[in-house]
Amino acid sequence: MTQATTIKGGKVRVKLETAVPTVYATPCGFTSKTVTFTKGLEDVQVPDCDDPDKVDWLGRDATSLAMSVSGEGVLAEQSIETWLDAWESIDSVNVKIEMEFPAKTITWTGKMHVETMEGVSPNGRRSTATISMQSDGEMVRTVAT
């Protein structure tokens, strides 16, 4: 039996453009990240031509693709203004998401909006943050070995 080749969470990176020409950096603070791939579907009833009284099966057509990223961790001084600038921007920001495996790195590059930022500050404990981003157009996937 061959075991799965896996990676640790630090090998999944969310990077925002921090300088022009395109320089990406990973904002400090995330201790957990979630990358979600979504496909929009449209239902279509497909009739049985030989038995029109038979209950139709549903066919599904793909209508859209989207990607979202959420992360949580400490509210870091080093990155708070980067996140606030992206959230305040009327335009989506350039983002790069990387998954680094031992034999290859898969990267998605495109534009995303910072949808939500939430800070939690319990008395006597460290402040934490949760951030959610949504794709704005195509996220281009590349694979490098």
Side-chain angles (χ1 to χ4, degrees), residues 20-138:
V20 177
T22 312
V23 174
Y24 290 94
T26 303
C28 180
F30 277 173
T31 56
S32 177
K33 297 158 288 272
T34 302
V35 180
T36 304
F37 304 90
T38 307
K39 181 185 286 187
L41 300 173
E42 181 177 83
D43 292 351
V44 179
Q45 286 183 254
V46 181
D48 185 311
C49 292
D50 295 329
D51 185 357
D53 290 331
K54 190 174 179 181
V55 176
D56 295 340
W57 277 95
L58 282 181
R60 291 193 168 86
D61 295 328
T63 60
S64 61
L65 296 175
M67 204 170 163
S68 63
V69 174
S70 61
E72 59 184 51
V74 295
L75 187 59
E77 179 181 1
Q78 295 89 334
S79 60
I80 185 63
E81 289 190 70
T82 299
W83 287 117
L84 287 171
D85 289 347
W87 173 74
E88 290 171 344
S89 176
I90 193 168
D91 297 317
S92 50
V93 296
N94 291 324
V95 174
K96 183 181 286 191
I97 297 152
E98 298 174 335
M99 292 182 181
E100 181 185 342
F101 292 87
K104 63 185 163 191
T105 299
I106 303 172
T107 303
W108 290 267
T109 306
K111 294 190 171 288
M112 298 186 107
H113 279 284
V114 173
E115 176 185 35
T116 60
M117 289 182 62
E118 179 180 67
V120 178
S121 302
N123 287 344
R125 295 175 38 209
R126 294 178 202 269
S127 293
T128 60
T130 301
I131 295 168
S132 172
M133 301 189 311
Q134 300 288 335
S135 60
D136 180 20
E138 182 178 9

Side-chain angles (χ1 to χ4, degrees), residues 5-17:
T5 303
T6 62
I7 60 175
K8 296 195 185 276
K11 298 295 184 184
V12 177
R13 294 177 290 273
V14 177
K15 298 181 171 191
L16 275 63
E17 183 179 51

